[in-house]
Amino acid sequence: MLETEQPLSILVTGGAGQVGLELLAAKWPDHITLHAPARSELDLGNPSAIERLFSSRAYAAVINSGAYTAVDQAENEVAAAYSANALGPALLADATRAAGIPLIQVSTDYVFDGAHVGEYNEDEAVQPLGVYGASKLAGEMAVLRGNPRSAVLRTAWVVSQHRTNFVKTMLRLATERHTLRVVNDQHGNPTSARDIAEALKTITLRMIEDEAAPRGIFHFVNAGATTWAGLAREVLALSEAHGGPTAKVENITTAEFPTLASRPANSRLATQRIQREYGVVPRPWQSAVYEIVDQLSAKE
Ligand SMILES: NC(=O)c1ccc[n+]([C@@H]2O[C@H](COP(=O)([O-])OP(=O)(O)OC[C@H]3O[C@@H](n4cnc5c(N)ncnc54)[C@H](OP(=O)(O)O)[C@@H]3O)[C@@H](O)[C@H]2O)c1
């Protein structure tokens, strides 16, 4: 730590999630510490829990990576989804504005309906198809309205070595079946939780240092796009190359794999704004997925 640098604490919500774990694992400057209370201590929908935290210590910023992320279950658990994804961000926006500190909110490609041709820019019209996307959109609006010093990082198709995600599901299913039937008509950007954490770190540190740092909505995803079937093929080929399980992938349509919540057919996000304003340049999704399969293989 340089002598001139004061120790600073950043509140991280959802510290046990894919992105939260990568935020905690990232290398931060020596004068920064992360405080990631367990969910039992910080329920996003609980105003007194948030008040208690803010009165117990001074934070330099908040990164809200906690969220209700069960897309299908949200259709039947509307109140729980809105409590975590809309009320939580609104409470954090009030608390951070009162403290005069930046709030960095993580959001989703599911705020879009997928009807757009090409990549979505940050100012494209939003139209969520389900409860999860609608609750996350309400959270975005609460943050942007509630704290002028805020940024919303929309990301997509999050994968990592942690918890449950599409990469881990494909690897598990490959140990059980010879052929996997996977949707091939939804297009998006697989994105590493580790890379999201790095992007969040860049934004957060700049926003702490510089009151005039760029704010508003930013899209961040790994470079390049594919379908779920394309991602499955890549994962299984990498797994096979690592001596792990593999399977054949059969393309199916969304109509052949009905889910409770509808998903956008195209949710590819354009990342020029974060590249231009924060110098964050995403690596190709294949490189990110390689790293994850490699990490998971090493654990075997
Ligand atoms: N996963 C994706 O594909 C995806 C795609 C686009 C955007 N995103 C966004 O990216 C962010 C991070 O997602 P992720 O994949 O890291 O999610 P995740 O792995 O599901 O983790 C979410 C974390 O939030 C916590 N949480 C849930 N409800 C909470 C509540 N009411 N109060 C406090 N904490 C709560 C969870 O606690 P438990 O540990 O108790 O479950 C978990 O630690 C979220 O904002 C999500 O909406 C995710």
Side-chain angles (χ1 to χ4, degrees):
M1 198 193 316
L2 298 177
E3 264 175 40
T4 50
E5 282 170 336
Q6 296 294 316
L8 298 175
S9 174
I10 296 172
L11 175 64
V12 172
T13 70
Q18 293 193 84
V19 171
L21 286 166
E22 294 293 352
L23 280 167
L24 295 174
K27 172 99 186 79
W28 290 79
D30 287 347
H31 67 293
I32 302 277
T33 53
L34 301 189
H35 181 217
R39 183 168 168 181
S40 53
E41 196 187 335
L42 170 57
D43 186 306
L44 281 165
N46 181 349
S48 49
I50 293 176
E51 256 170 50
R52 221 177 8 253
L53 277 174
F54 274 78
S55 57
S56 71
R57 63 171 88 188
Y59 294 110
V62 175
I63 304 175
N64 184 25
S65 73
Y68 181 108
T69 55
V71 175
D72 290 313
Q73 216 172 306
E75 297 297 311
N76 292 325
E77 293 187 357
V78 180
Y82 271 84
S83 172
N85 296 348
L87 176 59
L91 295 168
L92 289 173
D94 285 347
T96 51
R97 188 196 49 223
I101 60 170
L103 170 59
I104 297 86
Q105 164 77 10
V106 186
S107 193
T108 172
D109 54 331
Y110 283 12
V111 297
F112 296 118
D113 67 4
H116 177 68
V117 178
E119 294 180 337
Y120 280 92
N121 283 312
E122 286 81 356
D123 56 2
E124 221 72 59
V126 286
Q127 181 70 60
L129 295 176
V131 170
Y132 166 73
S135 66
K136 292 292 293 181
L137 177 60
E140 286 187 2
M141 295 192 310
V143 165
L144 295 170
R145 261 203 309 261
N147 183 351
R149 234 178 128 191
S150 59
V152 170
L153 188 91
R154 285 190 192 134
T155 189
W157 294 28
V158 179
V159 289
S160 72
Q161 58 173 317
H162 308 294
R163 292 180 70 114
T164 305
N165 59 66
F166 185 83
V167 169
K168 292 180 76 175
T169 301
M170 290 302 109
L171 292 174
R172 179 178 52 78
L173 291 177
T175 64
E176 299 166 5
R177 301 179 202 167
H178 294 299
T179 304
L180 309 183
R181 302 174 77 237
V182 188
V183 170
N184 195 43
D185 57 0
Q186 289 170 28
H187 300 262
N189 315 99
T191 302
S192 152
R194 175 175 285 186
D195 295 6
I196 297 167
E198 284 299 320
L200 288 168
K201 187 173 95 178
T202 302
I203 294 179
T204 306
L205 292 175
R206 253 291 279 288
M207 287 188 88
I208 289 173
E209 274 171 18
D210 179 5
E211 288 224 16
R215 45 188 78 186
I217 302 173
F218 298 88
H219 287 174
F220 176 80
V221 285
N222 279 126
T226 187
T227 63
W228 293 112
L231 174 55
R233 280 197 185 86
E234 184 75 15
V235 168
L236 297 170
L238 289 169
S239 171
E240 189 175 18
H242 278 79
T246 195
K248 192 169 162 297
V249 175
E250 188 185 316
N251 294 340
I252 60 167
T253 62
T254 299
E256 290 174 276
F257 187 74
T259 50
L260 223 44
S262 300
R263 281 142 170 93
N266 165 39
S267 63
R268 293 178 294 130
L269 303 182
T271 59
Q272 281 82 2
R273 181 168 188 223
I274 196 167
Q275 296 196 42
R276 196 174 57 241
E277 301 195 13
Y278 277 99
V280 172
V281 180
R283 63 176 160 161
W285 66 264
Q286 292 92 337
S287 152
V289 169
Y290 178 91
E291 184 180 82
I292 294 164
V293 174
D294 200 42
Q295 287 163 337
L296 290 169
S297 304
K299 284 186 187 170
E300 292 291 298

